[in-house]
Amino acid sequence: MSKTDLRVIKTKRAIQQAGLTLILKKPINKITITELAQTALINKGTFYLHYADIYALYDELLATAANEAIQQSSAYPLLFQDSQAFVREFLFAESPALQPTQLALLKPENLRFAPDFPKVLLNSFKQAIYQVGKLPQNRENDLRLTFLLNGMISLLVNPTLIDRNDPDCINFTVQFISRNIEGTFPEFYAK
C-alpha cells in the first residue's frame, strides 16, 4: 500500500491521536502497544506496519509538534534584514501557549527517550530559515546556521543564563548575538 493511500493516512492519524491521548495520561515508557492499539481501534499488527515501537511513534509526534511550533514564528526573515530584531523575536518574543499535548510531549520523563530531539529541533529551525529563500542550502550555510542556532537554542533551554527582567542583560545578549550573526553572514550586513 502506498503511503498516500487514504486508509494508510487515516490509520496513521488514528495511531498518532491515540498516542497523544495516552501521553496526556502517562509517560511514554508506560504506554503499551496493546492499549495504544485499543485506543486507536486497530490491532497490534497494524501498529507495527507503521512504527517499529512506541518510541518511534513518540519521535514522530515530537518532531511534528516542534515543526508546527517553529513554523509559527515570524522571526526567520529578520535574520537577513535586522539581526537585532531577529534575536529579540527568536529569544524574547512571547511564545504562544503550548497545548496540553505539546507540554506532555516535552516533559523530561518523556524527552529522555528522545536523544535525537536536539538535532531534530536544530534541523527544523534550519529548514524554517532556508524556506525564507534568501540563503542557499549547502554545507557552508548548514555549518554557519548550526553554529549560530546551537548557541541560541542553548539560551532557550537554559533560561538562567539571561535575566529577562534586566534590560541591560537583554541588551547585552541581543548585541552579542547580533554581532555574531552579522559576522557569520556578512553578505547580508556589509556596510
Side-chain angles (χ1 to χ4, degrees), residues 119-136:
K119 189 185 322 181
V120 169
L121 193 60
L122 175 65
N123 286 332
S124 292
F125 278 120
K126 286 194 306 191
Q127 288 310 310
I129 290 169
Y130 283 132
Q131 286 174 0
V132 172
K134 299 264 187 183
L135 195 65

Side-chain angles (χ1 to χ4, degrees), residues 16-179:
Q16 292 166 356
Q17 196 56 50
L20 290 171
T21 298
L22 292 170
I23 208 163
L24 285 169
K25 299 175 184 174
K26 59 174 100 175
I28 192 69
N29 64 321
K30 302 294 183 192
I31 298 172
T32 67
I33 302 302
T34 301
E35 72 181 319
L36 190 133
Q38 289 172 347
T39 304
L41 302 174
I42 61 168
N43 63 49
K44 286 172 45 173
T46 301
F47 173 86
Y48 288 112
L49 289 173
H50 300 281
Y51 298 98
D53 56 26
I54 196 75
Y55 303 107
L57 170 62
Y58 175 63
D59 286 344
E60 186 173 297
L61 293 172
L62 199 52
T64 299
N67 253 338
E68 288 172 359
I70 288 168
Q71 292 297 325
Q72 290 177 5
S73 175
S74 59
Y76 312 113
L78 296 172
L79 176 64
F80 308 106
Q81 302 164 359
D82 183 342
S83 62
Q84 290 186 23
F86 171 74
V87 174
R88 288 186 186 283
E89 182 70 23
F90 190 93
L91 291 179
F92 301 109
E94 286 296 318
S95 300
L98 294 175
Q99 300 299 314
T101 52
Q102 292 170 317
L103 291 171
L105 288 167
L106 295 171
K107 285 183 178 177
E109 64 264 27
N110 290 326
L111 278 177
R112 70 187 178 105
F113 295 104
D116 289 337
F117 182 61
K119 189 185 322 181
V120 169
L121 193 60
L122 175 65
N123 286 332
S124 292
F125 278 120
K126 286 194 306 191
Q127 288 310 310
I129 290 169
Y130 283 132
Q131 286 174 0
V132 172
K134 299 264 187 183
L135 195 65
Q137 189 169 353
N138 59 40
R139 185 174 296 183
E140 181 182 310
N141 288 333
D142 271 354
L143 178 64
R144 297 192 298 172
L145 284 173
T146 298
F147 176 78
L148 282 171
L149 290 169
N150 271 329
M152 295 179 76
I153 291 168
S154 69
L155 295 175
L156 289 173
V157 298
N158 187 358
T160 61
L161 291 172
I162 302 171
D163 181 354
R164 292 175 181 274
N165 296 317
D166 180 357
D168 290 334
C169 182
I170 291 172
N171 286 332
F172 170 81
T173 303
V174 169
Q175 294 295 319
F176 176 75
I177 295 172
S178 66
R179 280 193 305 272

